[in-house]
Amino acid sequence: MPVPIRRLILALTLSCTLFVGATACGSDSGDQQTSAAAATATPTGTSSAEKQKFAKTRFVANAGLAAGATYQWIVKPWKAGKFKKGEKGRKVALVKAGLAGGFSYNRLKAALKNAQGDPTLAKAVAPLTAGIEALKSLPAKLRKGDSTDAAAKTYDDIINKVKDAGKSAGAEVKDQVPSASELTKG
């Protein structure tokens, strides 16, 4: 049974509002003063001010979504040759890859932020920061069809490095393919 578009938009808006509201909850000013004092006393991979609740869990979730989107809409079509000129369905595959690239970049940035909340993860993921920043321009290249082989390989390499870094820090990342139906379920 098809769901009306209004209901989909309402569900998406409400779930985004709940997500933003849940993540916006911060600590009180007393905790911030204590964290600032601790940060100046002992330098570590991350400061106490950046520590997050469930940092490893959030890292695994964000990196898993990035890995799933990358594999499903970038790596799999790339290996199947969907990005080659003259291939049937090339434009659709490139647009999907571009959107997945933007989504993956966003989730990887969030995963890096989560990793900074855990000292073990921070040390493991720190060398990957420059590589993830390099992904910033690739979604546009994928959408336009420019150097798709290099872009797809770069995404695949970065995702594999993030997975390896997480595994070495005790936070194994598994692919989680995001779908539109997951968004409507909340």
Side-chain angles (χ1 to χ4, degrees):
M1 182 165 113
V3 179
I5 192 74
R6 286 184 193 163
R7 196 176 291 171
L8 290 174
I9 292 172
L10 178 63
L12 182 60
T13 304
L14 288 174
S15 61
C16 288
T17 303
L18 289 173
F19 179 75
V20 169
T23 58
C25 295
S27 60
D28 60 4
S29 62
D31 288 344
Q32 291 174 348
Q33 292 171 350
T34 306
S35 298
T40 57
T42 56
T44 61
T46 61
S47 68
S48 299
E50 295 173 346
K51 288 195 178 188
Q52 299 176 358
K53 292 181 182 178
F54 307 112
K56 279 188 179 180
T57 305
R58 289 178 176 184
F59 170 82
V60 169
N62 284 320
L65 285 169
T70 299
Y71 180 75
Q72 183 69 30
W73 292 298
I74 297 174
V75 175
K76 206 162 122 180
W78 168 57
K79 287 182 177 179
K82 292 280 185 182
F83 297 153
K84 293 183 179 173
K85 291 189 188 246
E87 187 70 30
K88 184 177 180 182
R90 179 177 187 255
K91 287 183 182 181
V92 173
L94 288 172
V95 169
K96 286 180 182 179
L99 292 173
F103 176 83
S104 295
Y105 172 74
N106 183 319
R107 293 297 85 209
L108 285 174
K109 292 290 284 182
L112 276 179
K113 187 175 181 182
N114 298 139
Q116 291 170 352
D118 182 79
T120 309
L121 271 174
K123 291 174 186 170
V125 178
L128 302 175
T129 305
I132 292 172
E133 273 303 313
L135 296 178
K136 194 174 198 174
S137 63
L138 293 182
K141 287 182 179 180
L142 284 170
R143 269 185 247 125
K144 292 177 185 174
D146 299 339
S147 61
T148 54
D149 289 343
K153 181 149 178 44
T154 302
Y155 266 103
D156 193 30
D157 291 344
I158 293 293
I159 291 293
N160 288 331
K161 287 178 184 176
V162 169
K163 283 181 171 181
D164 292 342
K167 190 173 184 178
S168 71
E172 190 172 350
V173 176
K174 296 182 181 176
D175 293 1
Q176 299 174 10
V177 180
S179 68
S181 64
E182 286 177 319
L183 293 176
T184 58
K185 289 179 186 174

